[in-house]
Amino acid sequence: MRLQNGESFSDLSDIYNINQQLKGSHGDIGWIDNAMKYHAKMKNAIFTLSNVGDYSQPLLFDYGYAICKLTNRDSLASFEVYSKIITKAIKNDESRKNITKDVFYSKIKKQTKYKENSKNISEFISIVDNSILLAKWSIPKFKEDKVLFTFDDSVYTFSDFANYLVLQKKDQKISDKEILIRTRLQDYAEKMLELYAIRILPKQDKEFAMIMQEYHDGMIIYELLNNEIYQKASFDTIGLKNYYTDHINDFMQKEAVIVTYYYCKNQKIVNKTIKLIQKQQIDYYSDQYILSQINKKQMDNIVRDTVLYYKGDNNFIDSLNWEKGSYHILDGNKILVISDRIQEAPKPLSQCKSDVIADYQVFLEEKWNQYLHEK
Protein backbone atom coordinates (compact mmCIF):
# COMPACT_ATOMS: atom_id res chain seq x y z
CA MET A 1 0.00 0.00 0.00
CA ARG A 2 2.78 2.46 0.92
CA LEU A 3 4.56 1.64 -2.33
CA GLN A 4 1.35 2.22 -4.22
CA ASN A 5 1.06 5.58 -2.49
CA GLY A 6 4.43 6.58 -3.95
CA GLU A 7 6.82 6.02 -1.01
CA SER A 8 10.44 5.21 -1.87
CA PHE A 9 11.25 1.49 -2.28
CA SER A 10 14.76 2.13 -0.87
CA ASP A 11 13.44 3.88 2.24
CA LEU A 12 10.89 1.12 2.94
CA SER A 13 13.61 -1.54 2.41
CA ASP A 14 15.82 0.18 5.01
CA ILE A 15 12.91 0.05 7.49
CA TYR A 16 11.43 -3.41 6.91
CA ASN A 17 14.20 -5.58 5.43
CA ILE A 18 15.16 -8.38 7.87
CA ASN A 19 18.39 -9.02 5.94
CA GLN A 20 20.95 -6.65 7.47
CA GLN A 21 23.22 -6.81 4.44
CA LEU A 22 20.37 -5.77 2.13
CA LYS A 23 19.41 -3.00 4.56
CA GLY A 24 22.80 -1.44 3.96
CA SER A 25 22.37 -1.57 0.17
CA HIS A 26 18.76 -0.29 0.19
CA GLY A 27 17.62 -3.80 -0.85
CA ASP A 28 19.82 -3.92 -3.98
CA ILE A 29 20.87 -7.53 -4.73
CA GLY A 30 22.82 -6.57 -7.85
CA TRP A 31 22.54 -8.05 -11.32
CA ILE A 32 20.63 -11.33 -11.55
CA ASP A 33 20.33 -13.84 -14.39
CA ASN A 34 18.28 -16.99 -14.69
CA ALA A 35 21.27 -19.23 -13.95
CA MET A 36 21.68 -17.86 -10.41
CA LYS A 37 20.50 -19.95 -7.49
CA TYR A 38 17.61 -17.78 -6.36
CA HIS A 39 14.22 -19.31 -5.64
CA ALA A 40 12.25 -20.03 -8.84
CA LYS A 41 9.29 -18.04 -7.50
CA MET A 42 11.49 -14.95 -7.11
CA LYS A 43 13.10 -15.33 -10.55
CA ASN A 44 9.73 -15.83 -12.21
CA ALA A 45 8.40 -12.68 -10.55
CA ILE A 46 11.45 -10.61 -11.51
CA PHE A 47 11.56 -11.73 -15.15
CA THR A 48 7.87 -11.00 -15.69
CA LEU A 49 8.34 -7.30 -14.76
CA SER A 50 8.17 -5.23 -17.93
CA ASN A 51 9.54 -1.79 -17.10
CA VAL A 52 12.34 -0.40 -14.96
CA GLY A 53 10.71 0.78 -11.72
CA ASP A 54 7.98 -1.89 -11.68
CA TYR A 55 7.67 -4.05 -8.57
CA SER A 56 6.11 -7.46 -7.94
CA GLN A 57 3.22 -8.53 -5.75
CA PRO A 58 4.26 -9.70 -2.23
CA LEU A 59 5.84 -13.19 -2.47
CA LEU A 60 5.58 -15.56 0.51
CA PHE A 61 8.72 -17.52 1.48
CA ASP A 62 9.70 -19.51 4.59
CA TYR A 63 11.47 -16.47 5.99
CA GLY A 64 8.59 -14.06 5.26
CA TYR A 65 7.33 -11.87 2.43
CA ALA A 66 9.46 -10.33 -0.31
CA ILE A 67 8.70 -7.61 -2.85
CA CYS A 68 11.01 -7.32 -5.90
CA LYS A 69 11.62 -4.13 -7.85
CA LEU A 70 13.21 -3.96 -11.31
CA THR A 71 15.92 -1.25 -11.19
CA ASN A 72 17.72 -1.97 -14.47
CA ARG A 73 17.63 -4.33 -17.43
CA ASP A 74 20.30 -5.54 -19.83
CA SER A 75 19.80 -7.46 -23.06
CA LEU A 76 21.64 -10.66 -23.95
CA ALA A 77 25.14 -10.25 -25.34
CA SER A 78 26.17 -11.74 -28.69
CA PHE A 79 26.56 -15.51 -29.09
CA GLU A 80 30.36 -15.10 -29.27
CA VAL A 81 30.39 -13.74 -25.70
CA TYR A 82 28.51 -16.76 -24.36
CA SER A 83 30.01 -19.46 -26.61
CA LYS A 84 32.83 -20.36 -24.20
CA ILE A 85 30.43 -20.50 -21.25
CA ILE A 86 28.00 -22.70 -23.21
CA THR A 87 30.81 -24.99 -24.42
CA LYS A 88 32.09 -25.43 -20.87
CA ALA A 89 28.58 -26.18 -19.58
CA ILE A 90 28.07 -28.84 -22.25
CA LYS A 91 31.42 -30.46 -21.52
CA ASN A 92 30.67 -30.60 -17.78
CA ASP A 93 27.13 -31.95 -18.25
CA GLU A 94 27.22 -35.45 -16.73
CA SER A 95 24.01 -36.49 -18.51
CA ARG A 96 25.60 -35.71 -21.87
CA LYS A 97 28.79 -37.57 -20.94
CA ASN A 98 26.83 -40.77 -20.38
CA ILE A 99 24.69 -40.61 -23.54
CA THR A 100 27.19 -42.57 -25.65
CA LYS A 101 27.62 -45.20 -22.96
CA ASP A 102 23.88 -45.53 -22.45
CA VAL A 103 23.32 -46.00 -26.18
CA PHE A 104 26.08 -48.61 -26.31
CA TYR A 105 24.70 -50.62 -23.36
CA SER A 106 21.16 -50.40 -24.71
CA LYS A 107 22.31 -51.69 -28.09
CA ILE A 108 24.43 -54.55 -26.72
CA LYS A 109 21.65 -55.62 -24.36
CA LYS A 110 19.24 -55.95 -27.29
CA GLN A 111 21.79 -57.84 -29.37
CA THR A 112 22.60 -60.31 -26.60
CA LYS A 113 19.02 -60.59 -25.23
CA TYR A 114 20.17 -59.38 -21.82
CA LYS A 115 17.73 -60.43 -19.05
CA GLU A 116 17.68 -59.77 -15.28
CA ASN A 117 15.97 -61.94 -12.68
CA SER A 118 14.41 -59.30 -10.41
CA LYS A 119 13.20 -61.89 -7.86
CA ASN A 120 16.69 -63.33 -7.41
CA ILE A 121 18.20 -59.83 -7.24
CA SER A 122 15.83 -58.92 -4.38
CA GLU A 123 16.77 -62.17 -2.60
CA PHE A 124 20.47 -61.44 -3.01
CA ILE A 125 19.97 -57.95 -1.52
CA SER A 126 18.21 -59.46 1.51
CA ILE A 127 21.16 -61.81 2.11
CA VAL A 128 23.70 -58.95 2.21
CA ASP A 129 23.89 -57.13 5.55
CA ASN A 130 24.73 -53.46 6.25
CA SER A 131 28.44 -54.20 6.65
CA ILE A 132 28.60 -53.74 2.87
CA LEU A 133 28.24 -49.98 3.48
CA LEU A 134 31.55 -50.05 5.36
CA ALA A 135 33.21 -52.31 2.74
CA LYS A 136 33.63 -55.01 5.42
CA TRP A 137 31.15 -57.55 4.03
CA SER A 138 32.17 -61.22 3.82
CA ILE A 139 30.68 -63.59 1.27
CA PRO A 140 28.25 -66.01 2.97
CA LYS A 141 27.65 -69.58 1.90
CA PHE A 142 24.69 -69.49 -0.48
CA LYS A 143 22.12 -72.30 -0.18
CA GLU A 144 21.63 -72.09 -3.94
CA ASP A 145 23.76 -70.21 -6.44
CA LYS A 146 20.87 -68.52 -8.25
CA VAL A 147 21.05 -66.60 -11.53
CA LEU A 148 21.04 -62.78 -11.39
CA PHE A 149 21.24 -61.98 -15.12
CA THR A 150 22.01 -63.63 -18.44
CA PHE A 151 22.95 -62.55 -21.96
CA ASP A 152 23.84 -64.54 -25.05
CA ASP A 153 25.26 -67.82 -23.69
CA SER A 154 26.65 -66.27 -20.44
CA VAL A 155 25.09 -66.80 -17.00
CA TYR A 156 26.00 -64.73 -13.90
CA THR A 157 25.06 -65.98 -10.46
CA PHE A 158 25.08 -64.97 -6.79
CA SER A 159 28.69 -66.10 -6.34
CA ASP A 160 29.93 -64.31 -9.48
CA PHE A 161 28.53 -60.97 -8.35
CA ALA A 162 29.50 -61.56 -4.69
CA ASN A 163 33.16 -62.04 -5.68
CA TYR A 164 33.01 -58.70 -7.50
CA LEU A 165 31.06 -56.94 -4.75
CA VAL A 166 33.40 -57.89 -1.91
CA LEU A 167 36.38 -56.28 -3.68
CA GLN A 168 34.75 -52.84 -4.03
CA LYS A 169 35.77 -49.95 -1.81
CA LYS A 170 33.48 -48.00 0.49
CA ASP A 171 31.22 -45.52 -1.32
CA GLN A 172 31.05 -42.24 0.62
CA LYS A 173 28.04 -40.99 -1.37
CA ILE A 174 25.66 -43.95 -0.89
CA SER A 175 24.30 -44.78 2.57
CA ASP A 176 21.45 -47.11 1.56
CA LYS A 177 22.27 -50.82 1.23
CA GLU A 178 19.81 -51.59 -1.56
CA ILE A 179 20.81 -48.58 -3.67
CA LEU A 180 24.48 -49.48 -3.27
CA ILE A 181 23.99 -53.12 -4.33
CA ARG A 182 21.77 -52.26 -7.29
CA THR A 183 24.27 -49.59 -8.43
CA ARG A 184 27.14 -52.03 -8.23
CA LEU A 185 25.14 -54.77 -9.93
CA GLN A 186 24.59 -52.39 -12.84
CA ASP A 187 28.32 -51.60 -12.93
CA TYR A 188 29.16 -55.31 -12.84
CA ALA A 189 26.70 -56.15 -15.62
CA GLU A 190 28.06 -53.35 -17.80
CA LYS A 191 31.63 -54.54 -17.28
CA MET A 192 30.63 -58.06 -18.33
CA LEU A 193 28.86 -56.67 -21.40
CA GLU A 194 31.98 -54.68 -22.31
CA LEU A 195 34.18 -57.78 -22.06
CA TYR A 196 31.70 -59.67 -24.21
CA ALA A 197 31.68 -56.89 -26.80
CA ILE A 198 35.49 -56.88 -26.92
CA ARG A 199 35.50 -60.65 -27.50
CA ILE A 200 32.92 -60.65 -30.30
CA LEU A 201 33.70 -57.33 -32.00
CA PRO A 202 36.81 -58.56 -33.87
CA LYS A 203 34.65 -61.30 -35.38
CA GLN A 204 32.00 -58.79 -36.48
CA ASP A 205 34.23 -55.90 -37.60
CA LYS A 206 37.31 -56.69 -39.74
CA GLU A 207 38.69 -53.15 -39.47
CA PHE A 208 38.47 -53.30 -35.68
CA ALA A 209 40.14 -56.74 -35.73
CA MET A 210 43.06 -55.28 -37.71
CA ILE A 211 43.39 -52.38 -35.27
CA MET A 212 43.36 -54.78 -32.31
CA GLN A 213 46.04 -56.94 -33.97
CA GLU A 214 48.13 -53.84 -34.68
CA TYR A 215 47.74 -52.74 -31.07
CA HIS A 216 48.69 -56.24 -29.84
CA ASP A 217 51.81 -56.33 -32.04
CA GLY A 218 52.69 -52.77 -31.07
CA MET A 219 52.56 -53.65 -27.37
CA ILE A 220 54.94 -56.58 -27.96
CA ILE A 221 57.35 -54.36 -29.91
CA TYR A 222 57.17 -51.66 -27.24
CA GLU A 223 57.94 -54.23 -24.54
CA LEU A 224 60.94 -55.47 -26.53
CA LEU A 225 62.15 -51.89 -27.12
CA ASN A 226 61.68 -51.12 -23.43
CA ASN A 227 63.72 -54.14 -22.33
CA GLU A 228 66.42 -53.94 -24.99
CA ILE A 229 66.83 -50.15 -25.27
CA TYR A 230 64.98 -47.72 -22.99
CA GLN A 231 65.22 -49.53 -19.65
CA LYS A 232 68.68 -50.85 -20.45
CA ALA A 233 70.03 -47.39 -21.23
CA SER A 234 68.86 -46.18 -17.81
CA PHE A 235 69.84 -49.15 -15.64
CA ASP A 236 72.88 -50.63 -17.39
CA THR A 237 75.39 -48.48 -15.47
CA ILE A 238 78.46 -50.39 -16.68
CA GLY A 239 77.37 -50.23 -20.33
CA LEU A 240 76.53 -46.53 -19.95
CA LYS A 241 79.91 -45.74 -18.43
CA ASN A 242 81.74 -47.70 -21.16
CA TYR A 243 79.77 -45.84 -23.85
CA TYR A 244 80.64 -42.50 -22.20
CA THR A 245 84.35 -43.43 -22.08
CA ASP A 246 84.36 -44.55 -25.73
CA HIS A 247 82.58 -41.36 -26.88
CA ILE A 248 83.96 -38.88 -24.35
CA ASN A 249 84.76 -36.32 -27.06
CA ASP A 250 81.05 -36.10 -27.86
CA PHE A 251 80.39 -34.63 -24.42
CA MET A 252 82.81 -31.71 -24.29
CA GLN A 253 82.31 -28.66 -22.14
CA LYS A 254 82.84 -25.48 -24.18
CA GLU A 255 85.56 -23.03 -23.32
CA ALA A 256 84.12 -20.61 -20.77
CA VAL A 257 84.96 -17.55 -18.73
CA ILE A 258 83.80 -16.38 -15.31
CA VAL A 259 83.09 -12.65 -15.38
CA THR A 260 82.70 -10.48 -12.28
CA TYR A 261 80.75 -7.22 -12.55
CA TYR A 262 81.25 -4.40 -10.03
CA TYR A 263 78.45 -1.80 -10.00
CA CYS A 264 79.93 1.34 -8.44
CA LYS A 265 78.03 4.23 -6.87
CA ASN A 266 80.08 6.96 -8.55
CA GLN A 267 83.36 7.65 -10.36
CA LYS A 268 85.28 7.99 -7.10
CA ILE A 269 84.27 4.45 -6.12
CA VAL A 270 85.25 3.25 -9.61
CA ASN A 271 88.79 4.58 -9.14
CA LYS A 272 89.18 2.99 -5.68
CA THR A 273 87.89 -0.35 -6.99
CA ILE A 274 90.27 -0.36 -9.97
CA LYS A 275 93.27 0.13 -7.64
CA LEU A 276 92.23 -2.94 -5.64
CA ILE A 277 91.57 -4.98 -8.82
CA GLN A 278 95.06 -4.12 -10.09
CA LYS A 279 96.58 -5.37 -6.82
CA GLN A 280 94.33 -8.44 -6.70
CA GLN A 281 96.54 -10.64 -8.91
CA ILE A 282 99.67 -9.70 -6.92
CA ASP A 283 98.35 -9.73 -3.36
CA TYR A 284 95.66 -12.40 -4.06
CA TYR A 285 92.78 -10.29 -2.81
CA SER A 286 89.45 -12.10 -2.86
CA ASP A 287 86.39 -10.45 -4.38
CA GLN A 288 84.88 -10.38 -0.93
CA TYR A 289 87.88 -8.43 0.37
CA ILE A 290 87.34 -5.78 -2.33
CA LEU A 291 83.69 -5.49 -1.34
CA SER A 292 84.51 -5.16 2.35
CA GLN A 293 87.07 -2.43 1.72
CA ILE A 294 84.91 -0.35 -0.60
CA ASN A 295 81.74 -0.76 1.51
CA LYS A 296 83.49 -0.17 4.84
CA LYS A 297 81.90 3.26 5.36
CA GLN A 298 78.76 2.83 3.27
CA MET A 299 77.17 -0.53 2.39
CA ASP A 300 75.86 0.50 -1.05
CA ASN A 301 79.08 1.90 -2.53
CA ILE A 302 79.56 -1.22 -4.65
CA VAL A 303 77.58 -4.29 -5.67
CA ARG A 304 79.11 -7.43 -7.19
CA ASP A 305 77.65 -10.01 -9.61
CA THR A 306 79.30 -13.09 -11.16
CA VAL A 307 78.29 -14.66 -14.49
CA LEU A 308 79.54 -17.74 -16.38
CA TYR A 309 79.73 -17.30 -20.17
CA TYR A 310 80.40 -20.14 -22.60
CA LYS A 311 82.08 -19.41 -25.92
CA GLY A 312 79.37 -18.20 -28.28
CA ASP A 313 76.93 -17.07 -25.57
CA ASN A 314 77.70 -13.35 -25.82
CA ASN A 315 79.41 -11.59 -28.75
CA PHE A 316 80.80 -8.78 -26.60
CA ILE A 317 82.33 -11.20 -24.07
CA ASP A 318 83.76 -13.29 -26.94
CA SER A 319 85.49 -10.15 -28.30
CA LEU A 320 87.41 -9.55 -25.06
CA ASN A 321 90.83 -10.87 -24.14
CA TRP A 322 90.11 -13.74 -21.76
CA GLU A 323 93.18 -13.16 -19.63
CA LYS A 324 92.60 -13.74 -15.95
CA GLY A 325 92.66 -10.46 -14.02
CA SER A 326 92.04 -8.19 -17.03
CA TYR A 327 89.34 -5.60 -16.54
CA HIS A 328 87.20 -3.19 -18.57
CA ILE A 329 85.34 -0.05 -17.54
CA LEU A 330 81.87 0.02 -19.00
CA ASP A 331 79.22 2.71 -19.18
CA GLY A 332 77.31 3.59 -16.03
CA ASN A 333 80.15 3.17 -13.51
CA LYS A 334 80.36 -0.59 -14.18
CA ILE A 335 83.60 -2.58 -14.11
CA LEU A 336 83.95 -5.97 -15.83
CA VAL A 337 86.70 -8.30 -14.57
CA ILE A 338 87.81 -11.62 -16.14
CA SER A 339 87.93 -13.68 -12.92
CA ASP A 340 88.79 -17.07 -14.39
CA ARG A 341 89.05 -18.95 -17.67
CA ILE A 342 87.81 -22.53 -18.09
CA GLN A 343 89.42 -24.54 -20.88
CA GLU A 344 87.46 -26.86 -23.15
CA ALA A 345 87.32 -30.31 -21.54
CA PRO A 346 85.09 -33.41 -21.33
CA LYS A 347 82.11 -32.98 -19.01
CA PRO A 348 81.99 -35.34 -16.00
CA LEU A 349 79.39 -38.10 -16.51
CA SER A 350 77.35 -36.70 -13.62
CA GLN A 351 76.89 -33.40 -15.51
CA CYS A 352 75.87 -34.89 -18.88
CA LYS A 353 74.19 -38.16 -17.87
CA SER A 354 70.85 -37.38 -19.58
CA ASP A 355 72.64 -36.62 -22.89
CA VAL A 356 74.73 -39.79 -22.59
CA ILE A 357 71.59 -41.89 -21.91
CA ALA A 358 69.86 -40.41 -24.98
CA ASP A 359 72.85 -41.19 -27.22
CA TYR A 360 73.28 -44.63 -25.64
CA GLN A 361 69.62 -45.41 -26.47
CA VAL A 362 70.25 -44.56 -30.14
CA PHE A 363 73.37 -46.74 -30.08
CA LEU A 364 71.45 -49.69 -28.53
CA GLU A 365 68.61 -49.28 -31.05
CA GLU A 366 71.01 -49.37 -34.00
CA LYS A 367 72.76 -52.39 -32.52
CA TRP A 368 69.42 -54.17 -31.95
CA ASN A 369 68.23 -53.43 -35.50
CA GLN A 370 71.48 -54.87 -36.85
CA TYR A 371 70.92 -57.99 -34.73
CA LEU A 372 67.36 -58.35 -36.10
CA HIS A 373 68.60 -58.02 -39.69
CA GLU A 374 71.17 -60.73 -39.07
CA LYS A 375 68.50 -63.01 -37.59
Side-chain angles (χ1 to χ4, degrees):
M1 183 66 73
R2 293 175 68 175
L3 280 172
Q4 291 172 341
N5 291 334
E7 289 194 44
S8 165
F9 187 95
S10 299
D11 293 343
L12 291 173
S13 175
D14 291 344
I15 297 169
Y16 294 108
N17 210 319
I18 60 173
N19 186 315
Q20 295 301 317
Q21 191 173 355
L22 289 178
K23 261 190 177 181
S25 65
H26 306 301
D28 188 358
I29 61 173
W31 287 98
I32 176 173
D33 62 49
N34 207 25
M36 293 181 175
K37 293 182 179 180
Y38 287 102
H39 196 287
K41 189 193 294 185
M42 179 181 289
K43 289 195 287 188
N44 289 338
I46 291 171
F47 288 111
T48 54
L49 297 175
S50 303
N51 304 307
V52 173
D54 290 352
Y55 52 85
S56 69
Q57 294 296 317
L59 307 170
L60 179 60
F61 295 100
D62 293 339
Y63 51 81
Y65 285 94
I67 298 174
C68 305
K69 179 185 176 183
L70 183 64
T71 57
N72 208 340
R73 184 191 292 278
D74 194 14
S75 59
L76 283 173
S78 65
F79 174 74
E80 287 71 22
V81 173
Y82 289 106
S83 61
K84 289 184 179 179
I85 300 170
I86 295 168
T87 302
K88 187 177 179 181
I90 291 172
K91 285 182 178 178
N92 293 335
D93 187 349
E94 292 295 331
S95 62
R96 284 178 174 272
K97 288 181 182 178
N98 295 326
I99 286 173
T100 307
K101 287 173 64 177
D102 293 342
V103 170
F104 164 75
Y105 291 127
S106 177
K107 185 178 178 181
I108 198 72
K109 282 179 179 180
K110 285 181 181 178
Q111 287 178 350
T112 59
K113 297 180 180 178
Y114 174 87
K115 186 177 180 182
E116 288 184 351
N117 190 317
S118 56
K119 184 178 177 182
N120 290 348
I121 291 172
S122 297
E123 184 180 336
F124 182 90
I125 292 169
S126 68
I127 294 170
V128 180
D129 59 39
N130 284 327
S131 62
I132 191 68
L133 296 170
L134 302 173
K136 294 182 179 180
W137 180 65
S138 299
I139 302 174
K141 190 173 182 180
F142 301 112
K143 292 179 181 179
E144 185 181 349
D145 199 12
K146 295 183 179 181
V147 176
L148 292 172
F149 62 90
T150 60
F151 58 83
D152 199 45
D153 57 353
S154 302
V155 177
Y156 295 91
T157 63
F158 279 16
S159 58
D160 295 324
F161 178 49
N163 289 325
Y164 169 82
L165 190 61
V166 78
L167 296 175
Q168 304 309 301
K169 294 179 180 178
K170 182 180 176 181
D171 192 317
Q172 303 287 351
K173 297 178 181 178
I174 302 178
S175 58
D176 184 277
K177 180 188 78 171
E178 182 171 350
I179 294 174
L180 178 67
I181 295 172
R182 289 188 182 277
T183 301
R184 289 191 169 159
L185 179 62
Q186 182 181 334
D187 294 341
Y188 176 64
E190 288 176 352
K191 280 182 170 61
M192 296 304 103
L193 287 165
E194 285 175 15
L195 291 172
Y196 174 82
I198 290 170
R199 286 200 310 271
I200 66 165
L201 196 55
K203 298 176 185 177
Q204 297 177 344
D205 190 326
K206 289 183 179 180
E207 186 178 350
F208 178 77
M210 290 174 66
I211 292 170
M212 286 294 290
Q213 187 62 45
E214 186 178 339
Y215 174 76
H216 174 267
D217 295 345
M219 289 297 291
I220 293 173
I221 292 170
Y222 173 78
E223 197 64 31
L224 280 167
L225 287 169
N226 204 34
N227 292 335
E228 297 294 330
I229 299 170
Y230 306 126
Q231 292 273 0
K232 190 173 182 179
S234 299
F235 296 110
D236 180 15
T237 52
I238 295 173
L240 187 70
K241 191 172 182 180
N242 290 337
Y243 179 83
Y244 165 74
T245 304
D246 294 341
H247 300 81
I248 196 165
N249 290 332
D250 293 339
F251 306 102
M252 298 293 287
Q253 180 174 276
K254 289 182 184 178
E255 187 179 5
V257 65
I258 297 174
V259 173
T260 300
Y261 292 100
Y262 291 103
Y263 300 91
C264 304
K265 193 172 184 180
N266 51 47
Q267 188 59 44
K268 185 179 178 182
I269 300 299
V270 170
N271 296 336
K272 284 184 178 181
T273 305
I274 288 173
K275 287 180 182 179
L276 289 171
I277 291 170
Q278 290 170 340
K279 291 183 178 180
Q280 189 174 26
Q281 300 304 314
I282 301 169
D283 298 335
Y284 303 104
Y285 291 154
S286 68
D287 292 347
Q288 194 59 43
Y289 175 78
I290 293 174
L291 284 176
S292 64
Q293 291 300 304
I294 300 297
N295 287 334
K296 189 179 289 185
K297 293 182 179 180
Q298 200 165 341
M299 290 298 294
D300 63 345
N301 279 336
I302 191 171
V303 176
R304 184 192 63 167
D305 188 22
T306 304
V307 182
L308 173 69
Y309 292 103
Y310 287 102
K311 202 76 173 177
D313 284 354
N314 185 294
N315 291 334
F316 173 70
I317 299 297
D318 288 348
S319 69
L320 301 176
N321 177 18
W322 285 12
E323 182 181 349
K324 185 176 179 179
S326 61
Y327 65 90
H328 305 269
I329 301 172
L330 308 177
D331 294 336
N333 296 330
K334 183 166 70 172
I335 305 170
L336 180 157
V337 181
I338 304 297
S339 297
D340 202 1
R341 183 174 184 172
I342 301 167
Q343 299 296 334
E344 184 180 22
K347 293 179 183 178
L349 179 58
S350 59
Q351 291 183 12
C352 60
K353 192 171 182 179
S354 59
D355 293 332
V356 178
I357 288 174
D359 287 2
Y360 188 40
Q361 283 180 348
V362 174
F363 168 76
L364 289 173
E365 187 171 357
E366 291 172 352
K367 189 177 177 182
W368 189 58
N369 284 333
Q370 185 181 349
Y371 164 76
L372 291 178
H373 281 297
E374 290 171 359
K375 292 287 281 187

